[in-house]
Amino acid sequence: MEKNKRFLNDLMNSLTQILTKSDRLKPFLNKATIIAIIALVTARLISSVALILLKLGGNWIGENETVFWREAIGLIWFTAIETGLILFNRQFRKDNENPPKNNYTPKIIAFLVGGGIAATLYMMFGVWSLSFTSVTNVAVIDCTLPIFTILGGSIFFSQVFDRRFIIGVVIAVAGAILIALADFSQSTIQLYGDALALTSTFFYATYWLLVEQVRATTNTTIILLWRCAVGTIILIPILWISGSDHVLPNSWQEWLLVIAIALLSQVIAQGLAVYSLKKLSSSFVALSMLVIPLFSHIEAKFIFSETTSWINYLGCLIVLWGMYLAIFGKGALK
């Protein structure tokens, strides 16, 4: 008994020394970074649930309609929050305080509008893909997001990544491709859904790269307010041209569904993820997508009774291995 206690104490002391002295872990041990990582993991857990709801929304209401209400309800929410903050500041700000500066330069406006367009296209292609392939496969194919963020960040924003980070991303992408190859052997329709999911991921990477450029000077509420406003404006003519006859939900269950989608995926998940950009890079945020397949697989198995082959499991393990390698590479933190 005494020997076991001594062994446990020695083990705990060794782990403590590793955590406090490791150069790789030191950047992760400050309070702000830990809060950002917790916020990001929470966002991805909620996103996995929202992915299930999006599939239900596409089946019950329609793909474009589901995306429209996600953006429109988000717009109402963030407008109310920002208006409340403005009124609060005007009411309680001291007379000798200077009013807040206007940070809306043409460059920032261009990034905000571009981010809104990219986010809307991401949502549209993502919801379409759920009509042709499984929730788990869409989540795993989203793991190719880091390759787009790295290329875009390196080419357009001079971001630097070390070899460890790149190797981790390559391994993760290989795991996602393995899932797509498994679909090819099963169904041409699923392969088409995978292609839509990949296109969706490209636009999502564009969104995060643009948002990262304004996060230092613009708060989370403003960024998401612009995103929802741009998305709503884009989707109104799309719904009109498509001749949608089911824009308004027909029952309280459908209203509850679209409200849940908006609050979970747009307000909470996106809000936490955008908040994390204060300390984390867009490439690290992209890598965090790799934890969604694990959550989505468990949830989809119970809700939709989706089957998963051993190749899907292998792909998930490869993806997680790549994430482990990349997470300690240069380029994860700011």
Side-chain angles (χ1 to χ4, degrees):
M1 189 71 178
E2 188 66 29
K3 185 180 296 184
N4 291 335
K5 287 183 178 180
R6 192 181 305 114
F7 172 76
L8 289 175
N9 287 332
D10 292 342
L11 179 62
M12 292 300 297
N13 290 333
S14 299
L15 289 174
T16 302
Q17 291 179 3
I18 292 173
L19 289 173
T20 55
K21 295 182 180 181
S22 174
D23 292 335
R24 288 180 180 174
L25 291 177
K26 281 182 180 178
F28 293 88
L29 295 179
N30 66 78
K31 182 179 179 180
T33 303
I34 291 173
I35 291 175
I37 292 174
I38 292 173
L40 191 56
V41 173
T42 304
R44 295 319 181 202
L45 175 60
I46 296 172
S47 294
S48 67
V49 177
L51 199 58
I52 303 289
L53 297 179
L54 281 172
K55 183 161 186 173
L56 288 174
N59 293 336
W60 289 9
I61 305 168
E63 291 85 358
N64 292 335
E65 291 82 358
T66 300
V67 176
F68 169 76
W69 282 111
R70 168 180 158 149
E71 301 296 327
I73 294 173
L75 175 61
I76 295 170
W77 178 275
F78 290 117
T79 300
I81 293 296
E82 188 61 23
T83 302
L85 290 174
I86 292 173
L87 294 175
F88 179 84
N89 290 333
R90 286 179 179 175
Q91 181 70 25
F92 295 100
R93 191 178 65 232
K94 296 179 181 180
D95 294 336
N96 58 354
E97 287 187 12
N98 296 323
K101 295 181 179 180
N102 181 11
N103 293 323
Y104 289 111
T105 64
K107 184 177 181 180
I108 289 180
I109 292 175
F111 282 140
L112 289 171
V113 173
I117 294 172
T120 304
L121 292 173
Y122 153 70
M123 281 301 305
M124 291 177 64
F125 278 95
V127 174
W128 290 340
S129 69
L130 288 170
S131 299
F132 300 97
T133 190
S134 69
V135 170
T136 303
N137 287 333
V138 169
V140 174
I141 289 172
D142 277 348
C143 295
T144 58
L145 179 63
I147 196 168
F148 293 118
T149 56
I150 287 175
L151 289 174
S154 300
I155 296 171
F156 298 106
F157 301 112
S158 302
Q159 295 180 358
V160 179
F161 307 94
D162 67 2
R163 185 173 63 179
R164 183 185 182 90
F165 189 93
I166 299 297
I167 290 174
V169 170
V170 170
I171 291 174
V173 171
I177 292 175
L178 185 63
I179 301 297
L181 292 177
D183 287 345
F184 180 79
S185 64
Q186 293 173 14
S187 171
T188 304
I189 294 178
Q190 275 199 330
L191 185 63
Y192 176 68
D194 291 344
L196 290 175
L198 189 62
T199 304
S200 161
T201 302
F202 167 78
F203 287 116
Y204 200 34
T206 303
Y207 165 71
W208 284 114
L209 286 169
L210 294 175
V211 167
E212 184 181 20
Q213 305 311 308
V214 299
R215 181 62 185 92
T217 57
T218 310
N219 65 46
T220 301
T221 304
I222 291 294
I223 291 173
L224 293 176
L225 175 60
W226 275 81
R227 167 181 170 162
C228 293
V230 172
T232 303
I233 293 171
I234 291 174
L235 287 164
I236 288 175
I238 291 177
L239 289 175
W240 179 72
I241 293 171
S242 64
S244 175
D245 57 354
H246 195 184
V247 176
L248 290 175
N250 292 329
S251 64
W252 68 267
Q253 292 96 335
E254 292 182 355
W255 274 112
L256 184 62
L257 178 62
V258 296
I259 291 172
I261 290 172
L263 293 182
L264 287 175
S265 64
Q266 189 73 304
V267 175
I268 301 176
Q270 285 295 310
L272 290 172
V274 172
Y275 168 82
S276 71
L277 280 173
K278 194 74 174 179
K279 291 295 294 182
L280 308 175
S281 70
S282 60
S283 296
F284 188 90
V285 172
L287 280 172
S288 70
M289 293 284 291
L290 305 181
V291 302
I292 294 180
L294 298 180
F295 301 133
S296 294
H297 168 67
I298 296 172
E299 295 152 3
K301 201 172 186 63
F302 285 102
I303 296 175
F304 298 116
S305 299
E306 292 184 355
T307 58
T308 304
S309 68
W310 66 270
I311 296 181
N312 293 91
Y313 286 113
L314 179 61
C316 286
L317 289 175
I318 293 174
V319 163
L320 289 176
W321 179 34
M323 181 179 180
Y324 168 78
L325 292 176
I327 202 169
F328 295 110
K330 182 178 181 182
L333 303 182
K334 290 183 177 178

